[in-house]
Amino acid sequence: MGPYYFREYREKINVEEVYDEDLWFNEKKWYEFDYNMTNSNISNHTVPLDPSKDKFTTFNLAYIGVGFNLTYSGSKAEIAGAVAMAALEGEQNLFMHRSVNDVVFGYKDKLLSALKALKPYLSDTVQLVYNMSTVDETTISKVNTGRKNISLLGQYSAWQGQNKLSFWSNPEAQQINGTEGLFFAPNLDKTKPITTFVDDLFRANPMEFVGEEECMGMKTYKYYIPKYVLANSTVNPLNKGFYAEGPSGLMNLTAAVMAPVFASKPSFLDAEEWLQEEVTGLPPADNNTMDTNLWVEPITGALVKARKQLQANMMLMNLPLFPDLNRLRKKPRYVPISNIIETGGMDDDLVNTFKNKVFKPRDDFIMILWALFGLCTFISGLFSFFFYKIVRDNQKESTLLIPKDSSKIAPVEPNPYTV
């Protein structure tokens, strides 16, 4: 995240196999700051970077979110009350100044806390990434074991206690499907997409084959996110259920996170060109370095390496009843607020174990087949040689029995008893 490196840890607990068909489990996911990785990439920096101390200025996510939601779904009284609360708490500002850890992993917002007293179902915490070191054991996830149908291996049927995502607008979008991305059904077909469930986007995400590459000493299939996945509903009607009514290249997360947040590829890769043109300082979009990719071993369907890249953007527009927000232009502008790059995959020990358990037995089996083929060929060759020799010898014996003067051979008398 920016120049800051964090290690992500995931642990599945309370794992239980149910009816030989599903694995039920809870998952813990947490992050730890990697001091060495962070500071080794910063040159000419006398003070080490520390996300708990380093502060920066960014958009006031809570105030913008409250203003957006009440403008489109609140009453005048609710709007007036929120504006008064924001003034009382000193939160009537477009910008805020907070630590990196606060913005990324969450902070208690004064305005949201005041609103929560009136509407208890609201959250008073703002965060870009969920850092769950503890787990609510009611939030069970379920994936298919593939025992009854290998093509369903690893497919989600429930995620974090939900069988469907009700904040999307139609049944197709609400479905929870795809795998976690760690493995897929074996014997991959290049012509068919693989599907992952992306928890950051709250949706299933098809990925298509782009080519074969050697990775960690193994042949892998490389996959990427095609352009149509983030296209608007005019271009791709299948995205209608995700409220994809704006520019192509953006994933509308407003219904999921209750704030006007839109996800995209970094630098608005594969999005409409004007989105990047309106933001100063973004590097040029590049498919080779900015796309999300998976490298998958095609025989087993196991993930070898992954690189997920995501840019979170805040939609800014004029909200006339909210101070500071009423100075924005009417046409929406999408401004990046964070850029997250996640990489992972097999380490060297796991690669060696994988090769010994999967490839070595396969290679040994193939060598045995070739040895058997060679032995069969050798036996066939010997049989042909001896058969040829026997035929030649018989021909020689037959030749010795035939007199040189065949005219002296006595005629054979017909058998009178033969019918």
Side-chain angles (χ1 to χ4, degrees):
M1 287 171 271
Y4 299 90
Y5 285 80
F6 297 85
R7 290 190 176 274
E8 179 184 281
Y9 296 88
R10 296 192 182 209
E11 181 184 2
K12 291 178 174 59
I13 60 174
N14 304 326
V15 180
E16 181 181 358
E17 187 169 356
V18 180
Y19 305 125
D20 289 334
E21 187 171 7
D22 286 326
L23 283 179
W24 294 21
F25 61 92
N26 303 113
E27 184 175 61
K28 294 197 299 184
K29 181 172 72 170
W30 69 97
Y31 297 85
E32 294 180 2
F33 176 58
D34 192 323
Y35 176 92
N36 292 328
M37 281 286 291
T38 298
N39 288 284
S40 65
N41 288 276
I42 303 298
S43 59
N44 300 322
H45 207 282
T46 56
V47 180
L49 295 177
D50 184 344
S52 65
K53 298 178 181 178
D54 301 341
K55 293 187 175 183
F56 70 108
T57 299
T58 186
F59 295 105
N60 189 340
L61 307 180
Y63 184 52
I64 296 172
V66 169
F68 181 86
N69 279 285
L70 290 182
T71 296
Y72 289 97
S73 61
S75 66
K76 290 184 178 181
E78 288 175 324
I79 293 174
V83 171
M85 289 180 185
L88 185 63
E89 300 295 343
E91 294 289 336
Q92 286 184 325
N93 299 304
L94 178 60
F95 299 100
M96 64 180 182
H97 191 68
R98 291 190 175 273
S99 73
V100 173
N101 273 357
D102 282 348
V103 174
V104 175
F105 299 118
Y107 64 92
K108 297 285 186 182
D109 184 82
K110 294 179 181 179
L111 173 59
L112 292 180
S113 296
L115 290 173
K116 185 177 176 66
L118 300 176
K119 297 185 177 183
Y121 61 87
L122 292 176
S123 171
D124 58 358
T125 302
V126 179
Q127 59 194 142
L128 295 178
V129 175
Y130 290 93
N131 197 16
M132 302 179 297
S133 57
T134 59
V135 171
D136 178 358
E137 295 193 4
T138 64
T139 58
I140 297 174
S141 296
K142 303 175 186 179
V143 297
N144 198 291
T145 63
R147 290 184 187 275
K148 295 182 178 180
N149 185 348
I150 192 63
S151 67
L152 297 177
L153 176 66
Q155 294 283 326
Y156 274 108
S157 58
W159 174 76
Q160 296 291 316
Q162 302 178 79
N163 295 314
K164 65 177 184 178
L165 301 174
S166 57
F167 43 74
W168 299 129
S169 68
N170 63 31
E172 291 75 21
Q174 291 172 356
Q175 286 182 351
I176 296 174
N177 53 24
T179 77
E180 188 179 8
L182 297 178
F183 50 87
F184 301 88
N187 299 314
L188 296 176
D189 185 341
K190 297 177 183 178
T191 64
K192 296 180 180 179
I194 59 176
T195 304
T196 61
F197 180 79
V198 184
D199 51 7
D200 293 323
L201 302 180
F202 306 97
R203 64 167 291 180
N205 188 64
M207 302 185 72
E208 292 188 351
F209 174 81
V210 67
E212 292 185 11
E213 284 190 8
E214 184 171 310
C215 181
M216 306 290 285
M218 294 182 283
K219 184 186 82 169
T220 64
Y221 286 0
K222 181 180 178 181
Y223 290 86
Y224 79 112
I225 300 176
K227 192 173 182 177
Y228 68 80
V229 173
L230 296 179
N232 63 27
S233 58
T234 302
V235 177
N236 182 6
L238 295 176
N239 282 339
K240 187 174 181 62
F242 301 114
Y243 303 104
E245 310 300 333
S248 280
L250 300 176
M251 175 69 191
N252 186 355
L253 300 178
T254 304
V257 301
M258 299 300 291
V261 176
F262 291 72
S264 70
K265 296 181 180 181
S267 291
F268 297 108
L269 174 67
D270 289 342
E272 295 180 20
E273 291 184 4
W274 67 269
L275 292 168
Q276 186 180 37
E277 292 171 354
E278 289 207 332
V279 180
T280 302
L282 287 178
D286 180 17
N287 287 90
N288 294 323
T289 60
M290 293 183 175
D291 213 339
T292 291
N293 296 113
L294 298 181
W295 288 262
V296 184
E297 199 287 310
I299 297 173
T300 61
L303 177 72
V304 178
K305 187 173 78 170
R307 181 182 65 203
K308 181 172 77 173
Q309 304 194 72
L310 181 68
Q311 178 177 294
N313 311 281
M314 178 68 75
M315 184 182 73
L316 301 177
M317 59 185 296
N318 186 280
L319 301 176
L321 299 179
F322 286 84
D324 226 19
L325 304 183
N326 56 11
R327 297 187 296 164
L328 299 172
R329 73 179 191 186
K330 292 183 178 181
K331 179 184 177 182
R333 174 185 278 122
Y334 301 87
V335 183
I337 55 175
S338 70
N339 190 24
I340 299 174
I341 302 174
E342 294 183 7
T343 60
M346 296 184 182
D347 58 20
D348 292 337
D349 291 338
L350 187 55
V351 167
N352 291 332
T353 301
F354 186 84
K355 289 179 179 179
N356 290 331
K357 296 293 185 181
V358 177
F359 291 149
K360 191 175 185 303
R362 184 199 64 179
D363 294 341
D364 291 344
F365 178 69
I366 292 174
M367 288 181 65
I368 291 171
L369 287 180
W370 278 109
L372 289 173
F373 175 77
L375 179 62
C376 291
T377 304
F378 176 69
I379 293 173
S380 175
L382 284 179
F383 177 79
S384 299
F385 171 76
F386 286 119
F387 180 78
Y388 175 74
K389 188 174 185 303
I390 291 170
V391 171
R392 288 292 304 272
D393 291 345
N394 287 339
Q395 287 179 342
K396 288 180 180 180
E397 291 178 5
S398 300
T399 304
L400 291 175
L401 294 175
I402 298 175
K404 291 183 179 181
D405 188 357
S406 60
S407 62
K408 295 181 180 180
I409 299 176
V412 178
E413 296 293 335
N415 188 347
Y417 302 103
T418 303
V419 178

